[in-house]
Amino acid sequence: MPTADDIPMCDVRRRGRDDLDACVRVLAEVHKGDGYPVNWPEHPTGWLAQPAQLDAWVAELDGRIVGHLALCPAGEGDVAPALWSSRAGTSIRETAVVSRLFVAPWARGHGIGALLMAQAARDARQRGLHPVLDVVSTDAAAAALYERMGWTLLAVVDQRWSPDQTVTVRCYAAPA
């Protein structure tokens, strides 16, 4: 598992309010290049900083924000928490959903996504929660990262995101 020491000038820290504009700019780059998020949010700042979030972090490379990740409680309709809790024989409330993970296209290949994932997993475990996530099935790079990090594929399911949109997602759980 990489650490911040493995990446020159990389720092993972809690996201502050003053970071949100830079995060939205990076998110726009990611959306343009990769199509994440699948549906561009009407209010990207609110999409990143949801009130129910447990915590959120940014990654900086050479003093510039290049990545983001949030940790949230399970919400209504979240499939990964339900799958994990069913398998583990626990309550959905004992999971935390890793979400809003992105890294600037030009900053990839430095292990930044893995650093953010490791931070979120540590934080979830400190809270007594098991980290889970889902990712659209077309995002092969993200799925490969989770699998390299030892996350378990729980299922591949279709989710109805709106009356006109059904998306296939891969649901993962962090190693036990």
Side-chain angles (χ1 to χ4, degrees), residues 31 35 37-40 136 138 158-169:
H31 180 70
V38 171
N39 300 316
W40 183 255
V136 293
T138 56
D158 288 334
Q159 277 189 324
R160 182 167 294 280
W161 285 6
S162 74
D164 302 327
Q165 186 179 34
T166 299
V167 178
T168 303
V169 296

Side-chain angles (χ1 to χ4, degrees), residues 44-57:
T45 301
W47 185 81
L48 287 173
Q50 298 172 332
Q53 283 177 352
L54 300 171
D55 215 335
W57 299 269

Side-chain angles (χ1 to χ4, degrees), residues 54 69-75 77-88 90-101 117 120-125 128-135 146 151-155 159 170-176:
L54 300 171
L69 182 140
L71 190 65
C72 303
D78 283 339
V79 177
L83 289 168
W84 171 255
S85 62
S86 175
R87 281 191 186 188
T90 63
S91 165
I92 289 175
R93 290 185 309 274
E94 294 177 54
T95 63
V97 179
V98 174
S99 66
R100 312 305 195 244
L101 170 62
M117 291 286 297
R122 268 192 309 277
D123 187 89
R125 292 185 193 291
L129 305 172
H130 193 89
V132 298
L133 62 84
D134 61 50
V135 60
Y146 308 143
W151 286 56
T152 301
L153 177 63
L154 300 170
Q159 277 189 324
R170 298 171 62 89
C171 300
Y172 288 91

